[in-house]
């Protein structure tokens, strides 16, 4: 089959070492990913937190005001970022959850091939999902509830300054502080001036440490990228919502149960089988009570006289579901440091899958990654214009309690369109983002022609992924190379041996 | 069920019949229960370790040859994953990350085998595990000692090939060299064991000292060390389980067991139930062997209504030797305590050995016992079918 001439891929350029004429100095790259960081809480009128350091970073760098994540979950979100590809290519179903597709080449590997040392500081849970696979041993996994102010920030600074961190380095730091802000904002920050709710106050706390982290690096030779993997509902919670959520999700047993439990706890040994049975009955009863409570709370919310978007947030607080409304998808994106000089706020829509292609172009990586969905935003950083590209979005599918079936869709700066993932005729939504930014008014019925246009764009995006066969062929060849390298390292084969063997390649 | 720590110390390439050369091994054998007829699924680390950590043969888990290195099936759940999902802190040091799947390990490291002091590295790792885990959290530590392999690579692989007369005519010398590597392994073992004792880690832990395969010293031409054939010097392995609350000290279990039985045994002890949404393990817990001797009394081979006594299956596809086959296994072996049937696919020859009469496998009696050959062949087909079946 004749291959059309095309731009060489990274693999071809880098492995072809002799022709590599790139002598540009490679900057370090600091990639700060704040889990659950929502765009409107980073910059704009909706923000009530106090973040002088993030503000300064925005002021001295470039801020993308309409950056969209492909999915409202970390797995899909981060996998897409690392590969520059949409989730339906970047991740695969791995039993009960989704993990980085081992068959795709991702930017961590490309950076390493280009001479970078890749390090990561992530929550321990993520090391089990394949997201940190390509960092090898250079992963510092912190325990799940660690936040910047209780030691994690200090550790990060130590790592960045350590002599074991070799240049040029790529440091991926994934912070969970905003994910469950109710875990604990320190006392001195629990005040209106730091934000109107726990989420924003936590952000104010984080900002202090982000400032310290930024001070520990040299911004002249470090490219800084700060973004989020998805948005958050918590960002809008008021203290009464926080309380309602807690109450609905916690069950405080009444006096009867407490007494019963004491008695059962004192059962003599021969009655133990009864104890087990009683305990099971108790658990079932408790389950039923919680369900009833939940249903009551949900019914109450549905009857409230509030806006549709407020209702949506409250309902999700009690009964979480996955969706693709902007509060979950719109995240901040800041480029600062090394060679980013333009200091501006960019209003046009960009996507998280564009982040790494942009980094690649900034640092002078030659060639182009195969199967890329993202594009480089460097022209925008240089003050040029580029056409807006639609963002594919999908809901997260790795929730065990999923209620509605999954949705997929397209977002442009004008419209948000989504529908049932399997049936284009089911559960169709269309929102006019310019008139109805809170997505309260589904206009799908009235705007059929726009629905059709969006559906066309959606189909095109899904079709444009490389045919599965070609992808597999390429990765097969790479795998064989890796295997031979390993066998050589193990001492099993050397060049003499290889000649004697008839190895398939 | 007590949540014991699990400390798995893997002495890569330790031959069970030479353990008596090392007093440290002998001491440890006295401390626990010694399974001395434990058959590895493959005579090389990649396939053997993956079968141990999934509790099933390579035909089922996807890694049954050197070139299937990265093909562990998604539908397998590893020992580390089971433990991690049930609250264990899991950390290990593998010989190389390409040989052992890191699934389920919170941290899995590798080091350069030619210039690492494993006693120090592993003692440090134990300290790190204690420091990093939560206070009452049990842990799973995997310590892979590769120095026997390193010495063989340096002194055998790089000097001879599979047909060098110089090597094959010097078996005594090769054995002396091997014993010296094993003795160094014993010294490492003592340091680690002392470290565990001094930190009182032995009290709440199950310590397993084992090997993933043995090592040849030139017994069969065509194989310098391992990986080409499935003779006992390379597929017969062992395991010592140390935990006085569960494993009687100084007990020897001579029954045929398999390395794929180790994982089910650990899960059985810890009361962790099998996850049915994953591929089913083919190994079985060895705990019954400790208790009711009567149930496992050797059943008569020709008994009409009993099932065959326990059978172990091993296979390999060498990188070298007379019939290199790095993509697929081409030497397959079915073994009971008494009989071993080997099928060499490439030349299409078969070998049968009476292991009780001829433990060194020198006399091929394939023509003398056709009935036994048939029964073993049937068993082989059964196992192959079992590997291919979905659950």
């Amino acid at each position: 089959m004749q291959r059309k001439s095309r731009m060489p891929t990274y693999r071809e350029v880098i492995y072809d070492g002799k022709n590599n004429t790139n002598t540009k100095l490679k900057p370090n790259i600091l990639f700060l990913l704040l889990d659950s960081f929502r765009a409107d809480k980073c910059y704009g009128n909706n923000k009530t937190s106090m973040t002088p350091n993030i503000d300064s970073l925005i002021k001295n760098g470039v801020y993308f005001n309409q950056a969209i994540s492909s999915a409202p979950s970390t797995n899909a979100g981060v996998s897409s970022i690392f590969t520059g590809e949409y989730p339906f290519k970047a991740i695969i179903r791995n039993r009960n959850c989704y993990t980085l597709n081992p068959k795709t080449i991702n930017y961590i590997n490309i950076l390493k091939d280009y001479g970078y040392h890749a390090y990561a500081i992530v929550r321990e849970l993520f090391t089990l999902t394949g997201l940190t696979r390509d960092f090898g041993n250079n992963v510092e996994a912190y325990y799940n509830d660690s936040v910047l102010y209780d030691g994690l920030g200090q550790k990060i600074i130590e790592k960045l300054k350590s002599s074991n961190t070799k240049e040029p380095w790529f440091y991926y730091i994934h912070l969970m502080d905003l994910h469950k802000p109710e875990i604990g904002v320190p006392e001195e920050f629990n005040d209106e001036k730091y934000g109107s709710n726990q989420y924003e106050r936590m952000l104010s706390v984080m900002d202090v440490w982000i400032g310290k982290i930024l001070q520990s690096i040299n911004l002249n030779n470090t490219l800084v990228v700060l973004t989020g993997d998805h948005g958050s509902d918590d960002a809008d919670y008021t203290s009464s919502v926080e309380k309602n959520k807690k109450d609905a999700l916690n069950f405080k047993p009444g006096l009867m149960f407490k007494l019963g439990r004491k008695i059962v706890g004192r059962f003599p040994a021969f009655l133990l089988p009864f104890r087990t049975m009683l305990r099971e009955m108790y658990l079932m009863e408790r389950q039923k009570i919680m369900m009833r409570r939940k249903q009551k709370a949900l019914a109450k919310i549905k009857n409230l006289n509030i806006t549709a978007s407020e209702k949506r947030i409250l309902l999700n607080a009690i009964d979480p579901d996955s969706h693709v409304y902007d509060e979950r998808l719109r995240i901040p994106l800041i480029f600062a440091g090394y060679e980013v000089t333009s200091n501006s706020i960019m209003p046009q829509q960009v996507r998280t899958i564009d982040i790494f292609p942009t980094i690649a172009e900034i640092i002078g990586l030659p060639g182009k990654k195969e199967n890329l969905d993202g594009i480089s935003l460097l022209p925008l950083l240089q003050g040029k214009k580029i056409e807006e590209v639609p963002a594919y979005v999908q809901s997260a599918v790795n929730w065990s309690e999923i209620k509605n079936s999954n949705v997929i869709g397209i977002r442009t700066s004008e419209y948000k369109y989504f529908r049932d993932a399997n049936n284009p005729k089911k559960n169709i939504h269309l929102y006019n983002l310019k008139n109805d930014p809170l997505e309260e008014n589904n206009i799908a019925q009235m705007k059929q022609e726009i629905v059709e246009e969006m559906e066309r764009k959606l189909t095109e995006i899904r079709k444009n992924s490389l045919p599965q066969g070609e992808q597999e062929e390429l990765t097969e060849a790479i795998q064989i190379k890796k295997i031979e390298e390993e066998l050589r390292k193990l001492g099993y084969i050397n060049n003499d041996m290889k000649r004697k063997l008839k190895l398939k390649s | 069920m007590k949540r014991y720590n699990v400390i798995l110390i893997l002495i890569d390439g330790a031959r069970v019949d030479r353990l008596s050369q090392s007093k440290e091994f002998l001491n440890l054998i006295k401390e626990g229960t010694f399974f001395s007829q434990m058959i590895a699924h493959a005579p090389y680390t990649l396939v053997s370790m993956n079968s141990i950590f999934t509790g099933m043969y390579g035909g089922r888990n996807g890694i049954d040859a050197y070139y299937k290195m990265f093909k562990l099936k998604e539908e397998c759940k590893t020992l580390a994953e089971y433990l991690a999902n049930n609250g264990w802190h899991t950390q290990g040091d593998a010989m190389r990350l390409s040989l052992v799947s890191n699934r389920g390990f919170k941290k899995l490291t590798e080091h350069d085998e030619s210039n690492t002091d494993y006693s120090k590295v592993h003692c440090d790792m134990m300290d790190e595990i204690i420091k990093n885990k939560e206070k009452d959290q049990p842990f799973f530590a995997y310590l892979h000692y590769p120095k026997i392999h390193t010495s063989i690579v340096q002194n055998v692989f790089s000097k001879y090939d599979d047909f060098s007369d110089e090597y094959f005519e010097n078996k005594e010398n090769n054995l002396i060299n091997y014993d010296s590597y094993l003795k160094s392994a014993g010294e490492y073992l003592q340091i680690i064991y002392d470290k565990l004792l001094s930190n009182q880690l032995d009290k709440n832990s199950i310590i397993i000292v084992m090997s993933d395969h043995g090592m040849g010293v030139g017994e069969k031409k065509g194989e310098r060390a391992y990986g080409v054939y499935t003779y006992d010097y390379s597929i017969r392995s062992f395991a010592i389980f140390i935990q006085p609350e569960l494993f009687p000290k100084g007990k020897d279990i001579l029954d045929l067991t398999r390395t794929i039985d180790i994982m089910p045994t650990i899960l059985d002890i810890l009361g962790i139930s099998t996850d049915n949404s994953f591929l089913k393990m083919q190994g079985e817990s060895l705990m019954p062997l400790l208790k009711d001797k009567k149930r496992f009394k050797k059943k008569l081979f020709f008994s009409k209504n009993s099932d065959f006594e326990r059978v172990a299956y091993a296979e390999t596809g060498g990188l070298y030797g007379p019939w290199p086959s790095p993509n697929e296994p081409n030497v397959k072996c079915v073994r009971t305590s008494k009989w071993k049937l080997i099928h060499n696919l490439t030349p299409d020859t078969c070998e049968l050995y009476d292991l009780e009469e001829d433990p060194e496998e020198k006399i091929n009696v394939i023509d003398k016992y056709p009935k036994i050959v048939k029964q073993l062949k049937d068993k082989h087909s059964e196992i192959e079918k079992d590997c291919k079946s979905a659950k």
Side-chain angles (χ1 to χ4, degrees):
Chain A
M1 183 165 82
Q2 272 287 16
R3 269 256 174 96
K4 284 188 266 181
S5 86
R6 52 173 175 71
M7 197 163 175
T9 62
Y10 286 140
R11 295 272 138 171
E12 289 161 3
V13 176
I14 288 166
Y15 280 126
D16 201 22
K18 301 187 190 92
N19 295 335
N20 192 351
T21 53
N22 194 316
T23 53
K24 198 170 177 177
L25 174 71
K26 298 182 182 118
N28 299 322
I29 306 170
L30 178 66
F31 196 115
L32 289 171
L33 193 132
L34 276 62
D35 199 295
S36 314
F37 196 13
R38 213 168 85 179
D40 62 340
K41 298 297 181 182
C42 174
Y43 178 86
N45 296 329
N46 254 349
K47 176 185 162 130
T48 62
S49 54
M50 203 190 277
T51 60
N53 294 299
I54 294 178
D55 297 344
S56 160
L57 201 65
I58 292 175
K59 202 156 142 227
N60 295 315
V62 172
Y63 179 67
F64 288 90
N65 204 6
Q66 204 183 168
I68 306 300
S69 166
S70 321
S73 83
T74 300
N75 264 349
V78 177
S79 306
S80 271
I81 293 176
F82 279 2
T83 56
E85 298 174 36
Y86 284 125
F88 57 83
K89 287 151 69 185
I91 58 176
I92 53 164
R93 189 186 182 105
N94 189 355
R95 299 158 249 193
N96 306 332
C97 67
Y98 281 70
T99 62
L100 193 61
N101 185 349
K103 290 201 171 120
T104 64
I105 298 166
N106 65 63
Y107 277 96
I108 314 299
N109 266 326
I110 291 173
L111 284 173
K112 278 163 65 173
D113 282 343
Y114 190 51
Y116 274 82
H117 303 273
Y119 304 91
I121 299 181
V122 300
R123 177 188 187 190
E124 184 201 21
L125 196 64
F126 291 158
T127 59
L128 300 173
T129 62
L131 282 172
T132 52
R133 174 196 77 197
D134 300 293
F135 292 91
N137 283 345
N138 292 334
V139 177
E140 175 77 29
Y142 59 83
Y143 282 87
N144 294 323
D145 290 350
S146 295
V147 289
L148 284 171
Y149 70 80
D150 79 347
L152 184 59
Q154 191 55 43
K155 191 181 237 178
I156 293 172
I157 294 173
E158 281 164 21
K159 289 246 156 199
L160 285 171
K161 286 186 166 161
S162 154
S163 54
N164 287 331
T165 303
K166 304 194 187 79
E167 293 195 332
W169 46 257
F170 167 78
Y171 233 113
Y172 174 74
I173 302 179
H174 192 130
L175 300 167
M176 302 302 296
D177 306 38
L178 294 173
H179 186 76
K180 275 204 172 134
E182 65 265 23
I183 283 175
V185 172
E187 261 320 297
E188 55 275 27
F189 280 82
N190 220 349
D191 185 293
E192 275 297 317
K193 71 172 177 200
Y194 291 110
S196 58
N197 62 19
Q198 293 291 302
Y199 179 96
E200 303 223 48
R201 290 174 198 178
M202 193 54 132
L203 183 60
S204 304
V205 180
M206 288 184 87
D207 184 81
V208 173
W209 278 96
I210 290 175
K212 292 189 195 179
I213 290 171
L214 292 172
Q215 270 169 9
S216 69
I217 57 167
N218 178 355
L219 280 168
N220 288 326
N221 74 352
T222 307
L223 174 65
V224 177
V225 178
L226 193 155
T227 187
D229 52 350
H230 55 74
S232 159
D233 285 10
D234 291 45
D236 285 323
Y237 288 174
T238 59
S239 50
S240 74
V241 174
E242 281 162 1
K243 183 174 177 304
N244 284 341
K245 180 174 178 175
K246 223 181 184 181
D247 285 345
L249 298 177
N250 283 327
F251 179 76
K252 286 188 199 68
L255 192 59
M256 281 299 288
F257 278 122
K258 282 189 183 160
L259 267 178
R261 200 154 57 184
K262 271 210 174 132
I263 297 173
V264 171
R266 302 232 169 112
F267 271 7
F270 70 88
L271 281 178
L272 278 177
F274 278 127
R275 181 156 92 176
T276 318
M277 189 180 77
L278 281 171
R279 187 173 42 169
E280 278 170 23
M281 281 172 57
Y282 164 72
L283 286 172
M284 276 199 318
E285 192 55 37
R286 176 182 141 144
Q287 183 97 312
K288 281 195 205 141
I289 293 180
M290 285 192 69
M291 278 311 318
R292 265 179 281 164
R293 269 218 193 159
K294 214 188 210 188
Q295 295 304 333
K296 247 200 213 166
L298 289 174
K300 200 165 137 195
I301 292 170
K302 286 183 183 142
N303 286 328
L304 285 174
N305 194 1
I306 50 176
T307 66
S309 66
E310 283 174 326
K311 216 174 257 192
R312 184 167 74 220
I313 302 253
L314 288 181
L315 289 171
N316 268 284
I318 309 289
D319 196 24
D321 196 1
S322 180
H323 61 65
V324 294
Y325 290 101
D326 267 11
E327 63 258 23
R328 298 266 177 98
L329 295 185
R330 198 164 160 173
I331 45 87
L333 177 56
I334 308 173
F335 281 89
Y338 176 77
E339 286 197 6
V340 179
T341 51
S342 64
N343 313 7
S344 37
I345 312 287
M346 303 280 184
Q348 86 178 68
Q349 178 184 269
V350 297
R351 305 136 328 152
T352 50
I353 54 173
D354 299 327
I355 296 177
F356 264 105
T358 310
I359 293 177
E361 212 184 332
I362 293 176
I363 65 174
L365 202 61
K368 179 173 156 35
K369 179 181 177 297
E370 47 266 293
N371 308 326
L372 199 53
D373 291 320
I375 59 170
S376 168
L377 305 172
L378 190 57
L380 288 176
L381 292 168
Q382 291 167 338
K384 305 187 188 127
K385 281 202 186 303
I386 55 177
E387 209 180 294
E388 181 185 289
V389 188
Y392 168 87
V393 297
Q394 63 174 71
S395 58
V397 298
N398 56 335
W399 290 32
S400 52
E401 304 151 30
I402 205 86
K403 290 166 215 75
N404 303 315
S405 65
N406 302 316
V407 294
I408 59 175
I410 294 279
R411 186 195 190 282
T412 66
S413 48
E414 276 193 83
Y415 292 104
K416 166 80 66 66
Y417 165 74
F418 59 89
R419 45 84 163 169
D420 182 284
N422 298 316
N423 184 349
K425 303 279 179 218
K426 204 169 134 193
N427 198 12
I428 304 176
H429 292 247
L430 182 70
Y431 299 96
N432 181 328
L433 295 174
K434 295 236 150 89
N435 305 338
D436 173 27
L438 293 175
E439 298 165 285
E440 302 184 299
N441 196 7
N442 184 354
I443 55 173
Q445 292 282 32
M446 296 164 284
K447 297 277 181 180
Q448 280 297 322
E449 68 285 6
I450 300 190
V451 166
E452 277 164 28
E453 193 194 314
M454 300 297 260
E455 182 62 33
R456 255 197 307 272
K457 286 190 180 153
L458 178 57
T459 319
E460 208 183 297
I461 287 181
R462 291 201 72 133
K463 247 200 308 195
N464 270 344
S465 47
L466 194 74
Q468 205 50 33
E470 257 188 71
Q471 218 172 15
E472 282 181 17
E473 226 179 76
L474 188 64
T475 47
E476 201 49 45
I478 292 172
Q479 263 199 2
I480 291 187
K481 205 166 181 166
K482 266 196 180 158
I483 293 175
E484 286 176 3
E485 203 188 299
E486 277 300 312
L487 293 176
R488 213 168 292 130
K489 285 197 185 145
L490 284 160
Y492 294 154
I493 57 176
N494 49 47
N495 291 325
D496 282 340
M497 284 289 125
K498 225 192 144 176
R499 270 189 282 115
K500 287 185 191 168
L501 301 169
K502 292 183 189 72
L503 293 167
K504 182 164 97 166
S505 51
Chain B
M1 295 287 178
K2 189 164 167 185
R3 289 160 74 83
Y4 292 98
N5 302 318
V6 178
I7 303 174
L8 201 148
I9 306 175
L10 191 101
I11 310 294
D12 196 308
R15 267 176 82 130
V16 62
D17 61 343
R18 304 307 294 172
L19 293 181
S20 52
Q21 298 298 310
S22 158
K23 59 173 163 40
E24 292 90 359
F25 271 103
L26 287 176
N27 285 338
L28 279 180
I29 288 172
K30 288 194 209 119
E31 291 295 311
T33 296
F34 182 44
F35 293 85
S36 57
Q37 197 186 184
M38 184 172 272
I39 310 302
H41 170 52
Y44 57 104
T45 305
L46 171 68
V47 173
S48 185
M49 282 319 297
N50 278 292
S51 73
I52 292 170
F53 280 152
T54 54
M56 61 184 83
Y57 292 130
R60 186 179 271 194
N61 73 21
I63 301 192
D64 62 356
Y66 279 101
Y67 270 49
K68 304 259 177 81
M69 196 181 268
F70 300 116
K71 299 237 190 280
L72 189 64
K73 286 201 182 139
E74 299 296 332
E75 307 94 313
C76 300
K77 193 162 181 175
T78 65
L79 177 61
E81 280 179 314
Y82 268 107
L83 293 173
N85 288 353
N86 280 279
W88 267 252
H89 173 92
T90 54
Q91 185 163 342
D93 180 43
M95 181 163 117
R96 286 205 64 78
L97 292 174
S98 56
L99 297 179
V100 177
S101 171
N102 64 356
R103 285 198 215 156
F105 279 103
K106 296 200 170 119
K107 184 170 179 184
L108 187 66
T109 53
E110 70 176 9
H111 295 86
D112 181 352
E113 54 178 314
S114 50
N115 57 14
T116 302
D117 176 0
Y118 284 93
S119 331
K120 180 170 186 317
V121 167
H122 289 169
C123 284
D124 288 346
M125 183 172 86
M126 293 312 300
D127 286 333
E128 196 185 324
I129 290 176
I130 303 302
K131 191 165 79 96
N132 283 345
K133 70 178 187 75
E134 312 276 358
K135 187 164 166 289
D136 290 318
Q137 191 185 16
F139 64 86
F140 168 44
Y142 165 55
L143 286 66
H144 193 133
Y145 174 83
K147 284 296 206 183
I148 299 178
H149 166 269
T150 319
S151 308
I152 295 283
V153 165
Q154 284 168 355
N155 299 314
V156 175
F157 280 24
S158 46
K159 292 192 180 152
Y160 312 103
D161 69 32
D162 291 305
F163 302 93
S164 302
D165 288 329
E166 224 188 305
Y167 178 76
F168 288 95
E169 283 164 12
N170 251 317
K171 281 195 273 288
E172 290 74 26
N173 213 18
N174 302 336
L175 197 59
I176 293 175
N177 289 340
Y178 177 81
D179 286 345
S180 69
Y181 312 145
L182 192 66
K183 289 197 182 106
S184 305
E187 285 162 9
Y188 156 86
L189 206 52
Q190 192 62 52
I191 296 177
I192 298 294
Y193 192 63
D194 286 343
K195 168 92 181 157
L196 297 176
L197 289 179
S198 68
N199 284 36
Q200 309 238 321
L201 289 174
D202 58 314
K203 296 214 165 24
N204 296 318
S205 308
I206 301 167
I207 301 173
I208 306 169
V209 179
M210 58 181 286
S211 165
D212 54 346
H213 58 78
M215 192 70 73
V217 291
E219 294 94 332
K220 297 273 181 181
K221 206 150 190 187
E223 177 170 63
R224 286 168 293 181
Y226 60 93
V228 177
Y229 304 129
T230 52
Y231 297 112
D232 265 15
Y233 56 75
S234 62
I235 66 165
R236 183 170 167 165
S237 173
F238 67 92
I240 311 167
F241 280 76
I242 303 175
Q243 174 40 261
E245 290 171 12
L246 302 164
F247 295 97
K249 286 194 183 188
K251 189 176 172 82
D252 275 357
I253 306 272
L254 300 164
D255 305 68
L256 181 78
T257 51
R258 305 160 299 182
T259 54
I260 60 170
D261 297 327
I262 292 177
M263 174 168 160
T265 307
I266 296 174
L267 297 179
D268 183 15
I269 295 171
L270 300 174
I272 294 176
S273 48
T274 322
D275 191 335
N276 290 325
S277 50
F278 293 92
L279 288 175
K280 191 160 178 283
M281 290 188 286
Q282 288 167 300
E284 287 160 19
S285 173
L286 300 171
M287 298 313 282
L289 284 177
L290 297 174
K291 293 170 202 160
D292 190 14
K293 242 343 206 167
K294 277 179 258 180
R295 273 203 281 155
F296 276 80
K297 213 64 177 179
K298 267 195 190 151
K299 293 183 185 142
L300 285 176
F301 194 107
F302 303 104
S303 161
K304 293 188 196 90
N305 48 3
S306 77
D307 210 354
F308 216 128
E309 61 178 287
R310 278 154 75 92
V311 171
Y313 176 69
E315 61 184 7
T316 186
L319 284 175
Y320 32 76
W323 333 290
S325 176
N327 288 296
E328 294 292 337
N330 66 346
V331 175
K332 303 192 180 189
C333 146
V334 178
R335 186 193 190 288
T336 67
S337 292
K338 185 169 163 71
W339 298 102
K340 178 187 286 185
L341 176 70
I342 301 176
H343 182 199
N344 304 305
L345 273 68
T346 307
D348 198 14
T349 57
C350 282
E351 301 166 52
L352 181 72
Y353 299 101
D354 178 344
L355 298 168
E356 282 170 8
E357 299 290 322
D358 170 29
E360 290 186 24
E361 298 164 286
K362 291 190 165 143
I363 311 164
N364 183 358
V365 293
I366 189 78
D367 295 321
K368 281 203 192 157
Y369 304 98
K371 279 208 190 120
I372 295 192
V373 171
K374 170 127 194 350
Q375 273 181 301
L376 289 171
K377 277 195 171 159
D378 287 342
K379 205 61 189 168
H380 182 181
S381 315
E382 210 183 289
I383 293 176
E384 290 219 302
K385 227 167 72 174
D386 187 46
C387 285
K388 299 275 181 279
S389 74
K391 283 271 176 185

